[in-house]
Amino acid sequence: MLSLLDRQAIRDGFPLLLPAIPFGFVLGLAMSESAMPIGVAYSSSLFLYAGAAQLALVTLVGAASAWAVAVAVMVINLRHVMYSAAMAPSFEEQPRWFRILAPMFLIDQVFALTSLHTDLEPERFRRYYLTLAAMFYSAWQVLSVLGILFGALVPTSWGLGFAPALMFAGIVVMMLTNRPAVIAAVVAAAVCFATLGLPNRSGLLVGALAGISAGFLAESRSR
Amino acid sequence: MRLSSAILLLAGVSIATYFARAGMILILADRPMPEPVMRALRNVGPAVLAALVVTLVANPEEANSGVELAEVAGMVAAITTAIKTRNLIPTLALGLIVFWVVRAVT
């Protein structure tokens, strides 16, 4: 039986799942064209489970050395270290098995939605997290397979690739509950924009760190 | 690419990614964190996700990188809707509609 909390998690997760559909198709298509054996390329959905990094992995293989590919994937995934640090206080009262299992599913969407619910009591937080994790992980497996089989059929001219950016922008807005948070977001976006030329999306990290520092200074000054 | 090297590469980046996601949770969850650290962590969400939005819009890896007028218009519509409704469904819907309309007329 689905509890009320499960249903809320599914309702919250659904709008973020929609934009993942065209992305899954793009990724599946890239997998079927990759220099990587298709079974291994698909396994990245099972084990790496990080859309942008998977896309870099399957497209760069063959065009760059294995080391260069590994570095690119890790630079793209470094933002997860920040997610992990930000989530740590919410795991203080969680059992060991959950601390070990949960990070496997700590993708952008799960981080974004669960950070809006850190005030839930530990047991309910865990349930909410696991429902979202199961929903996104299983959907991603299905989408990757569909993408491999039918990826070439979805026209890119629809511009659905723009949808994830809109969703994350909406979530940022909901996180802006005080002045330091607004300053952090604005500075991060501006610095990221100014450093877009850096390789492997590392402008994202530079921007994020600048935003976190600016938010920190703003909070320190306001007290 | 050889099967063995592909498996090795995927295993390497998967394990490293798991530890990128798990490391801080496993290290920090049992220790009381000093106030300044908590203060810095509070703004990780807005900062990282705002930078992620910019990266997604500008697609630095794609050939047609750069920001289009339609993307800016769609983004402004989405952010305004999110502020007014605090609901993601109309945020996505209005953002996409404005994006499509502006793209069609420009």
Side-chain angles (χ1 to χ4, degrees), chain A residues 37-48:
Chain A
I38 186 73
V40 183
Y42 168 72
S43 302
S44 68
S45 283
L46 290 169
F47 301 114
L48 179 57

Side-chain angles (χ1 to χ4, degrees), chain A:
Chain A
M1 260 310 271
L2 287 180
S3 73
L4 213 64
L5 190 65
D6 295 335
R7 270 186 235 146
Q8 195 203 333
I10 293 169
R11 235 188 357 254
D12 292 347
F14 189 67
L16 285 173
L17 199 57
L18 287 181
I21 296 172
F23 191 80
F25 274 71
V26 170
L27 178 64
L29 181 64
M31 283 175 177
S32 59
E33 291 172 346
S34 173
M36 225 177 202
I38 186 73
V40 183
Y42 168 72
S43 302
S44 68
S45 283
L46 290 169
F47 301 114
L48 179 57
Y49 186 46
Q54 285 178 256
L55 193 59
L57 176 72
V58 299
T59 50
L60 287 178
V61 153
S65 73
W67 280 113
V69 177
V71 168
V73 169
M74 287 325 293
V75 172
I76 293 171
N77 278 345
L78 259 182
R79 68 182 182 285
H80 293 106
V81 176
M82 293 187 255
Y83 293 165
S84 184
M87 275 281 133
S90 306
F91 279 75
E92 209 169 298
E93 290 174 60
Q94 296 296 346
R96 197 168 174 74
W97 67 266
F98 184 63
R99 290 184 194 176
I100 293 172
L101 177 72
M104 174 72 207
F105 307 100
L106 190 57
I107 57 173
D108 297 315
Q109 290 86 341
V110 171
F111 170 73
L113 291 171
T114 50
S115 351
L116 295 173
H117 290 86
T118 49
D119 52 339
L120 287 174
E121 51 205 79
E123 203 173 314
R124 289 170 59 80
F125 176 82
R126 189 161 70 237
R127 179 92 192 208
Y128 185 80
Y129 189 108
L130 288 173
T131 307
L132 280 174
M135 174 177 171
F136 279 100
Y137 189 78
S138 49
W140 195 237
Q141 305 313 317
V142 174
L143 282 171
S144 308
V145 174
L146 288 178
I148 291 172
L149 298 175
F150 309 110
L153 300 178
V154 175
T156 51
S157 60
W158 289 359
L160 286 176
F162 185 50
L166 293 173
M167 298 311 304
F168 286 117
I171 290 183
V172 171
V173 167
M174 290 181 206
M175 287 178 166
L176 304 183
T177 47
N178 54 49
R179 235 174 91 88
V182 176
I183 292 172
V186 171
V187 170
V191 173
C192 178
F193 189 73
T195 53
L196 276 174
L198 296 176
N200 297 328
R201 297 187 172 205
S202 37
L204 193 162
L205 296 175
V206 179
L209 288 173
I212 293 166
S213 315
F216 180 80
L217 289 177
E219 283 204 36
S220 309
R221 280 191 62 178
S222 67
R223 58 192 60 211

Side-chain angles (χ1 to χ4, degrees), chain A residues 35-37 40 43-44 47-50 57 61 66 70 73-74 77 80-86 88-89 91-92 99-100 103-104 106-108 111-112 157-159 162-163 165-170 172-175 181 184-185 188-189 192-193 196 201 204 208 212 215-216 219-220 223, chain B residues 1-3 6-7 9-10 13-14 16-18 20-26 28-31 33 35-36 38-58 60-61 67 70-71 74-75 78-79 82-83 86-89 91-92 95-96 99-100 103:
Chain A
M36 225 177 202
V40 183
S43 302
S44 68
F47 301 114
L48 179 57
Y49 186 46
L57 176 72
V61 153
V73 169
M74 287 325 293
N77 278 345
H80 293 106
V81 176
M82 293 187 255
Y83 293 165
S84 184
F91 279 75
E92 209 169 298
R99 290 184 194 176
I100 293 172
M104 174 72 207
L106 190 57
I107 57 173
D108 297 315
F111 170 73
S157 60
W158 289 359
F162 185 50
L166 293 173
M167 298 311 304
F168 286 117
V172 171
V173 167
M174 290 181 206
M175 287 178 166
C192 178
F193 189 73
L196 276 174
R201 297 187 172 205
L204 193 162
I212 293 166
F216 180 80
E219 283 204 36
S220 309
R223 58 192 60 211
Chain B
M1 179 176 232
R2 294 226 325 267
L3 181 65
I7 291 176
L9 175 61
L10 175 63
V13 293
S14 299
T17 298
Y18 173 77
R21 286 169 171 164
M24 291 300 172
I25 288 176
L26 295 174
L28 297 177
D30 271 334
R31 296 153 209 235
M33 270 184 260
E35 223 296 302
M38 294 293 292
R39 214 184 306 158
L41 291 182
R42 265 199 287 277
N43 295 314
V44 168
V48 181
L49 293 175
L52 184 65
V53 169
V54 172
T55 317
L56 289 174
V57 173
E61 289 113 39
V67 181
E71 289 175 327
M75 192 53 74
I79 290 173
I83 293 171
R86 307 198 79 75
N87 185 337
L88 288 177
I89 304 243
T91 298
L92 176 65
L96 270 183
F99 168 69
W100 282 326
R103 201 180 52 164

